[in-house]
Amino acid sequence: ITAFALGLYFAILEQRATASGIFRMNPLSVIRMEEWFVVFFAVLIILTLMFFYRKETCHYLFKYRFIIAAIIFILCVILEFNGSSFRIWEEIITGKASAPLIGVNRGIRSDEWMVFTPMALSQYVNPLGSFNYFNSLLRATPTDLFMVYGQAVKDIAMIFRPFQIGYLFLSEGKGMAFFWCGRIIALFLVSFEFGRFLTKDQKALSVAYAALLTFSPVVQWWFSVNGFVEMLIAGQLMIVLTDHYIDDHEALWKKAVYPLSFFICAGIFAFTLYPSWQIPLAFIFFAIFVWILVTKRKSICISIIDGFFLGLGALILITVSAHVFSQSWDTIQTVIHTTYPGNRMDNGGKGFIGLLNYPLSVYFSVKTKCLNQNVCEESFFYDFFPLGLLFSLYAIFKEKKKDGVSIILLIFCIIFIVRLIVPWPEWMSKFTLMSKVSYNRLVVIVSWINLLLLIRGISLVQNENINQKNPWLFVRATIAFSAVMLLIATIIQKNYVSPMIFVFAFGVLTLGTLGIFLYHRSYGKKLMLVGILVICFFSGMTVNPLNRGLDTVKSQSLYQNIVQTNEKNDIWIV
């Protein structure tokens, strides 16, 4: 039943039927059978394991999570799976694109399929040498491909672009799979470990956080560009590494791996080169980093070996960074002196209504038109705002929990919300570097902070305080909360919301919120995880298509003719 329902949803998603009209036609006529079989068997295996062998499955998934992730990653690379909308080129060439394995190509992600991916593939045939630091194809003059759009190059600097390394030794299709699948698997794993730090090793909450972050609307709609995924991976991993390093680094391999990995993550974060997200994220990660050092200062013990590897890591970061700056100095100067992004100036004061938009995001993958802005700009984290603030304040003031992480997050949340509402003086914006942070990007960060506060707050609340209350109280509170949030979202996006969208979004929000309220009861964890899985499926998992390789484009006669013409080594003027 579940697989059949998901098949119907994909039929709606791929626009072979409308959401209202699908019930008036034969469902089997709109579902590709190969797609249905994939969904059916995947759902069947997962549900069988979780219903009949839940404890054993969870135990082995946790114990061997890195091995399982590595196996999945290798299989995905071999099969050349990716989430690119590159098949749109087939439509441009032939007038009709073949359907992805699952999902639908996203024309609005043109900065991926029309810019980023062609740039990556151009490195295979770079006239200056495959994967040269500069590429002469794009503008008929040597163009820096490492700095601005972060492509694969044969250079030591690639230690700060780990997910593009696959392009250097794999075919185009497998290189794309390395990039797409490696990032999503790494983001989920790192977010799970960060969730364990955040919740003091409550695994169910950590899984919930990892899913809500990895398959959030904003991450999936912006997945391939702007380095947001790399920022989240690197920033969270630096916190996890710091925490583990202080607690346990007796083994020699830990003395070496932890500090070296920390400084490589610092380089990855720095070279994403997207200040609008980097700056507020850096404030938060640095504050948590300092909090760890202060609270665990008595446990910090630096030996000579520790000092050596810490110094080596810092030396690698400084040396490689200096090398990159020397190679890309002209590029940096050019970007700095552009109108955008070089001279970006934002003083805030545009409001915070974006924080109230998340309930509708479960329908964004089906309907992208009629929003106030384009779907990418309207996508944030599904953070259950303002529950994160309420849970944290309840834990701090009602239950007297003096929790440093919650206080740090609350301070930044308040500061950023104030900036969203009240314009800052220009000198203050420049002094804090927040002048480089645009409105929509700051709303994304506030949304992420709310998610952190929610997960941290749930983990701090005492079980007995919740279990004493009547569960029907939570049911009524959930219905009231969902209704209010949907009504507000409807007012904001009045041109987008139809009765069906309202009911659909209301049901999804109610399920997730009820699971959060009842989390500390015996059945609450299961209900919460089911609710969050439903939210993630509709809001994030169905955003990008599932494609295999590049054969649909490379097999086109136009492509083949271009390749044959280029092999003649003639000079063409176009």
Side-chain angles (χ1 to χ4, degrees):
I1 292 172
T2 305
F4 191 76
L6 295 181
L8 290 179
Y9 183 79
F10 279 118
I12 298 171
L13 178 68
E14 292 161 3
Q15 300 172 358
R16 288 193 290 275
T18 63
S20 59
I22 194 167
F23 300 105
R24 298 194 297 270
M25 63 192 303
N26 178 10
L28 294 178
S29 67
V30 296
I31 301 176
R32 295 204 312 274
M33 292 309 295
E34 67 273 18
E35 179 179 284
W36 186 84
F37 276 119
V38 170
V39 174
F40 174 78
F41 283 110
V43 170
L44 182 65
I45 292 170
I46 293 171
L47 293 185
T48 300
L49 291 173
M50 296 310 295
F51 273 97
F52 296 102
Y53 306 100
R54 183 176 61 84
K55 290 185 178 179
E56 295 86 346
T57 300
C58 292
H59 169 74
Y60 286 111
L61 283 175
F62 175 74
K63 184 177 181 180
Y64 300 108
R65 60 194 182 280
F66 298 115
I67 296 175
I68 294 170
I71 292 172
I72 293 173
F73 172 64
I74 291 170
L75 289 175
C76 288
V77 171
I78 291 173
L79 295 173
E80 299 188 358
F81 287 144
N82 65 73
S84 172
S85 295
F86 198 68
R87 284 175 186 256
I88 292 178
W89 283 108
E90 183 186 0
E91 182 176 357
I92 293 172
I93 295 170
T94 66
K96 184 179 180 180
S98 56
L101 296 176
I102 295 178
V104 61
N105 294 313
R106 300 295 180 182
I108 196 170
R109 300 310 304 134
S110 55
D111 50 357
E112 180 269 311
W113 62 266
M114 193 159 56
V115 180
F116 187 88
T117 300
M119 277 185 171
L121 301 181
S122 73
Q123 282 289 71
Y124 283 91
V125 289
N126 185 349
L128 300 179
S130 60
F131 301 101
N132 193 290
Y133 199 97
F134 298 90
N135 187 313
S136 62
L137 278 180
L138 302 175
R139 299 187 303 126
T141 188
T143 302
D144 186 338
L145 274 200
F146 178 83
M147 181 58 73
V148 177
Y149 249 82
Q151 299 298 342
V153 298
K154 289 180 180 177
D155 193 275
I156 186 62
M158 285 302 290
I159 64 172
F160 298 146
R161 303 255 193 250
F163 300 107
Q164 278 92 333
I165 289 177
Y167 285 115
L168 299 179
F169 63 92
L170 297 170
S171 64
E172 294 103 315
K174 289 181 173 58
M176 283 181 65
F178 190 101
F179 173 77
W180 281 86
C181 300
R183 293 161 83 243
I184 200 165
I185 291 171
L187 181 60
F188 188 89
L189 282 177
V190 171
S191 299
F192 174 72
E193 298 301 324
F194 187 78
R196 292 179 64 199
F197 160 79
L198 204 64
T199 64
K200 299 179 181 178
D201 206 18
Q202 295 187 36
K203 296 180 180 61
L205 273 178
S206 301
V207 170
Y209 169 72
L212 284 170
L213 185 138
T214 304
F215 301 106
S216 64
V218 63
V219 167
Q220 291 302 315
W221 282 105
W222 290 98
F223 189 79
S224 61
V225 297
N226 292 350
F228 192 42
V229 171
E230 282 82 355
M231 290 181 218
L232 291 171
I233 292 172
Q236 292 183 121
L237 188 53
M238 281 192 286
I239 298 299
V240 172
L241 289 169
T242 302
D243 190 56
H244 286 352
Y245 184 71
I246 294 174
D247 288 343
D248 176 27
H249 65 285
E250 293 301 318
L252 181 60
W253 72 269
K254 292 181 180 179
K255 292 179 182 290
V257 170
Y258 285 176
L260 293 178
S261 299
F262 178 92
F263 284 105
I264 289 174
C265 285
I268 294 171
F269 187 91
F271 282 100
T272 53
L273 299 172
Y274 196 76
S276 209
W277 274 328
Q278 275 180 300
I279 291 168
L281 281 175
F283 285 145
I284 296 166
F285 286 132
F286 182 73
I288 296 175
F289 172 76
V290 172
W291 176 82
I292 293 174
L293 295 183
V294 171
T295 56
K296 296 189 175 185
R297 59 188 180 278
K298 294 181 180 179
S299 301
I300 298 175
C301 181
I302 305 297
S303 66
I304 295 176
I305 297 177
D306 294 320
F308 171 78
F309 285 111
L310 286 168
L312 179 61
L315 181 62
I316 290 172
L317 175 61
I318 294 170
T319 304
V320 176
S321 297
H323 164 71
V324 170
F325 279 107
S326 66
Q327 288 275 83
S328 300
W329 184 249
D330 290 342
T331 305
I332 295 168
Q333 291 299 308
T334 301
V335 172
I336 288 174
H337 292 94
T338 57
T339 299
Y340 173 87
N343 292 326
R344 182 200 295 244
M345 171 58 69
D346 192 312
N347 293 323
K350 299 177 182 178
F352 67 101
I353 60 172
L355 292 173
L356 308 172
N357 205 42
Y358 68 89
L360 300 176
S361 62
V362 293
Y363 214 76
F364 285 177
S365 61
V366 174
K367 182 181 178 182
T368 60
K369 297 180 179 179
C370 300
L371 289 163
N372 294 341
Q373 302 181 82
N374 74 62
V375 65
C376 304
E377 298 295 344
E378 293 287 2
S379 296
F380 306 103
F381 290 95
Y382 202 106
D383 60 349
F384 298 91
F385 179 81
L387 292 186
L389 293 171
L390 297 177
F391 266 90
S392 297
L393 292 172
Y394 181 87
I396 292 172
F397 293 105
K398 181 68 175 178
E399 298 193 351
K400 310 299 181 183
K401 300 288 182 64
K402 296 180 180 179
D403 180 59
V405 172
S406 295
I407 293 171
I408 289 170
L409 294 173
L410 281 169
I411 290 171
F412 277 109
C413 189
I414 293 169
I415 292 173
F416 291 158
I417 289 177
V418 168
R419 177 177 170 78
L420 290 173
I421 300 172
V422 181
W424 284 11
E426 186 172 317
W427 68 266
M428 184 184 293
S429 294
K430 289 184 176 180
F431 178 76
T432 59
L433 302 180
M434 292 296 289
S435 61
K436 302 295 183 183
V437 182
S438 61
Y439 160 74
N440 264 29
R441 304 300 177 259
L442 186 57
V443 176
V444 168
I445 302 304
V446 175
S447 178
W448 176 64
I449 296 173
N450 287 325
L451 180 59
L452 296 179
L453 285 170
L454 177 65
I455 299 300
R456 183 77 172 186
I458 295 173
S459 70
L460 292 174
V461 172
Q462 293 292 331
N463 295 11
E464 56 269 19
N465 294 340
I466 298 297
N467 290 334
Q468 290 173 0
K469 300 184 184 298
N470 189 331
W472 288 108
L473 174 65
F474 294 115
V475 173
R476 292 194 294 271
T478 296
I479 294 173
F481 171 79
S482 300
V484 169
M485 296 308 299
L486 258 299
L487 285 171
I488 294 172
T490 300
I491 294 171
I492 296 171
Q493 300 284 357
K494 57 182 180 296
N495 296 322
Y496 180 80
V497 181
S498 65
M500 180 175 180
I501 292 175
F502 185 95
V503 172
F504 183 79
F506 176 82
V508 174
L509 178 59
T510 300
L511 180 61
T513 305
L514 187 60
I516 289 171
F517 279 144
L518 298 177
Y519 172 78
H520 289 286
R521 293 180 178 268
S522 57
Y523 52 85
K525 288 184 177 65
K526 298 176 186 177
L527 181 61
M528 184 199 69
L529 290 174
V530 169
I532 286 175
L533 179 61
V534 171
I535 288 169
C536 292
F537 175 80
F538 289 113
S539 66
M541 292 180 185
T542 49
V543 168
N544 291 302
L546 178 64
N547 277 310
R548 277 195 67 188
L550 299 167
D551 290 343
T552 56
V553 174
K554 294 176 69 175
S555 61
Q556 300 299 321
S557 58
L558 176 61
Y559 179 94
Q560 297 296 331
N561 288 336
I562 291 172
V563 171
Q564 293 172 8
T565 301
N566 286 339
E567 289 175 349
K568 295 178 182 178
N569 201 30
D570 291 337
I571 297 175
W572 286 80
I573 298 176
V574 180

